Amino acid sequence: MLRKIVKIDEDKCNGCGECIPDCPEGALQIIDGKARLISDLFCDGIGACIKACPFDAMSIEEREAEEYNEYKVMENIIKSGYNTIKAHLEHLKEHEEHLFLSQAIEFLKQNNIEIPTLEENKLHHNGCPGSIQKTILRENIENNNNSNISFTSELTNWPIQLKLMNINAPYLENADLLICADCVPFTYPNFHKRFLKDRVLMMLCPKLDSDIDLYIEKLSIIFKTKNINSINIVKMEVPYCNGVEMIVREAMKLTNTNIFTKEYTISIDGNII
């Protein structure tokens, strides 16, 4: 039958395995150093695994494929225990696959297996955790007399987007870098004073930007030629944001450099984790 199914670009895939946890159905395995789709039967075509790939090696295509079978998937999933079963049910609920969800629950009932209670905060959105709609309630606190809050910009370089940055910019020489996910400054309220002060800012989005290989190449040149003192990496808690660290590590590996690095993760409600 003609249906949507995951496609893996083997030229881009390096076998990192980041996609595996996001496929509780068990359709993916690392074989011979590459992620492989081992069974059309197990791939639901939703593509939850795509967001986890830091190399943009995964996509959805429409082709002739064996029909997805929820009962076969459940036979595979129950071997991994309660938490995997729960993750799979939440995955189906998040993507509004109500037919598959009902089939999965029916399978559990038929086999006298406990049906997990699904978390409410995971039920009312579509897509990956980084896209969840969320209203963040704030206390109405007067900050004018709080000396820990900076109302003066600490930005010392422009442009700030890594894609636009000149690798020969003079401010990069002997610099302390802040390599940051795009969402962080809007989420963490004291970004300027806590992270940006005395640092050269580089911003990117590992989820939406298409030039990941260019970023790695550009950073590798900067690391090799500019005698960088240190790097602070600041990313969001959402899974795809781990790509920020991956880009930095790949650039250092490419040039065989070892720069002192600290990593910080910001929660969606604006705290350092």
Side-chain angles (χ1 to χ4, degrees):
M1 64 175 296
L2 187 67
R3 71 179 182 91
K4 292 181 179 180
I5 198 162
V6 166
K7 178 181 179 181
I8 301 168
D9 187 331
E10 292 193 7
D11 291 334
K12 292 182 178 180
C13 176
N14 76 339
C16 68
E18 292 291 331
C19 56
I20 302 299
D22 280 11
C23 182
E25 294 81 13
L28 300 174
Q29 289 184 16
I30 301 298
I31 301 173
D32 297 330
K34 300 285 184 180
R36 313 280 185 182
L37 181 65
I38 62 166
S39 173
D40 289 357
L41 271 175
F42 293 166
C43 179
D44 56 17
I46 294 173
C49 54
I50 293 175
K51 71 179 187 295
C53 179
F55 299 101
D56 195 30
M58 308 185 78
S59 59
I60 295 292
E61 66 174 344
E62 191 167 345
R63 65 167 171 83
E64 287 291 333
E66 196 169 359
E67 184 176 3
Y68 175 78
N69 188 315
E70 183 62 38
Y71 298 103
K72 290 287 185 182
V73 168
M74 289 303 295
E75 288 176 2
N76 187 50
I77 279 179
I78 60 173
K79 299 174 185 177
S80 299
Y82 179 89
N83 288 334
T84 303
I85 294 171
K86 182 177 180 180
H88 176 63
L89 297 184
E90 288 177 343
H91 165 75
L92 295 176
K93 184 70 175 181
E94 288 166 4
H95 293 274
E96 298 184 354
E97 293 292 344
H98 303 300
L99 175 60
F100 294 153
L101 179 61
S102 64
Q103 290 174 349
I105 292 174
E106 180 185 353
F107 177 92
L108 295 174
K109 289 178 178 178
Q110 290 174 352
N111 290 275
N112 296 316
I113 298 171
E114 180 183 358
I115 300 171
T117 300
L118 305 186
E119 297 178 25
E120 286 300 319
N121 65 343
K122 293 186 177 182
L123 301 186
H124 302 296
H125 68 91
N126 297 320
C128 66
S131 303
I132 300 174
Q133 297 182 40
K134 182 176 181 180
T135 299
I136 301 172
L137 299 177
R138 306 290 188 188
E139 293 183 30
N140 187 18
I141 298 174
E142 179 62 52
N143 287 323
N144 292 339
N145 296 320
N146 190 335
S147 61
N148 291 323
I149 303 297
S150 172
F151 293 95
T152 303
S153 174
E154 299 289 353
L155 184 65
T156 59
N157 66 282
W158 188 269
I160 58 177
Q161 291 290 339
L162 179 55
K163 185 174 184 178
L164 302 177
M165 191 166 287
N166 185 343
I167 59 174
N168 294 312
Y171 52 73
L172 290 172
E173 191 66 39
N174 300 311
D176 294 294
L177 300 182
L178 172 59
I179 301 179
C180 172
D182 285 355
C183 297
V184 168
F186 299 97
T187 310
Y188 187 73
N190 202 21
F191 173 79
H192 279 250
K193 190 165 186 176
R194 178 64 178 82
F195 292 116
L196 184 54
K197 185 176 174 59
D198 299 325
R199 290 188 172 272
V200 172
L201 176 62
M202 298 176 173
M203 294 182 65
L204 60 102
C205 178
K207 171 71 172 178
L208 301 179
D209 294 355
S210 59
D211 296 318
I212 301 303
D213 290 339
L214 174 63
Y215 291 168
I216 294 172
E217 181 181 359
K218 179 175 280 192
L219 284 177
S220 68
I221 295 172
I222 292 170
F223 295 166
K224 187 175 182 179
T225 62
K226 296 302 178 185
N227 194 30
I228 300 300
N229 292 325
S230 68
I231 303 171
N232 276 4
I233 300 170
V234 190
K235 61 185 180 65
M236 297 298 299
E237 66 174 334
V238 295
Y240 54 74
C241 228
N242 291 325
V244 179
E245 182 186 9
M246 179 280 298
I247 290 167
V248 174
R249 300 297 180 191
E250 286 296 316
M252 284 198 282
K253 186 188 301 183
L254 196 62
T255 55
N256 197 29
T257 52
N258 188 19
I259 302 169
F260 178 74
T261 304
K262 287 185 178 180
E263 180 181 342
Y264 300 87
T265 301
I266 307 300
S267 67
I268 292 174
D269 59 2
N271 295 306
I272 299 176
I273 298 176

